[in-house]
Amino acid sequence: MKEKEKIELFMLHLDEEASILELFRALSRQCSDESPAQVQQWIIEKTLAMASEGSLGFYVDEFGARDVVECELEQARVLLAHDEVWSLSSETMLHIYPIT
């Protein structure tokens, strides 16, 4: 998949405030020429770069929780480094959203 197409798919999910896992699954299906690890690394780099620029934010949604919790950049960095937010069996979802 070309970089431009990856970014378009990424932005579509960003507008929907998708979870990192949803974004990963969508990109993995479309990026057949890249390993899941490569797709995951691209997502990590892209989300952290955009968050550092101030154009995207994070929130955490836990299964069964009534509220979502804003997530600071450093906390998001830690969550992205762990398998939990990348797993279908996880009860913790890290979401991305655009900052306007």
Side-chain angles (χ1 to χ4, degrees), residues 61-66 91:
D61 179 15
E62 294 187 6
F63 183 74
R66 292 185 176 174
E91 293 187 354

Side-chain angles (χ1 to χ4, degrees), residues 28-95:
S28 292
R29 285 190 300 270
Q30 298 295 321
C31 298
S32 58
D33 57 332
E34 295 181 36
S35 71
Q38 288 172 309
V39 173
Q40 183 176 345
Q41 188 58 41
W42 185 88
I43 292 170
I44 290 169
E45 291 170 4
K46 186 71 175 165
T47 57
L48 293 178
M50 290 181 72
S52 294
E53 295 167 357
S55 62
L56 115 80
F58 300 95
Y59 67 88
V60 177
D61 179 15
E62 294 187 6
F63 183 74
R66 292 185 176 174
D67 296 317
V68 296
V69 179
E70 285 289 322
C71 180
E72 297 297 324
L73 177 59
E74 288 310 311
Q75 182 185 4
R77 187 182 313 275
V78 169
L79 288 171
L80 289 167
H82 293 286
D83 292 336
E84 186 175 17
V85 296
W86 303 99
S87 170
L88 286 173
S89 62
S90 174
E91 293 187 354
T92 300
M93 294 186 295
L94 179 63
H95 293 262

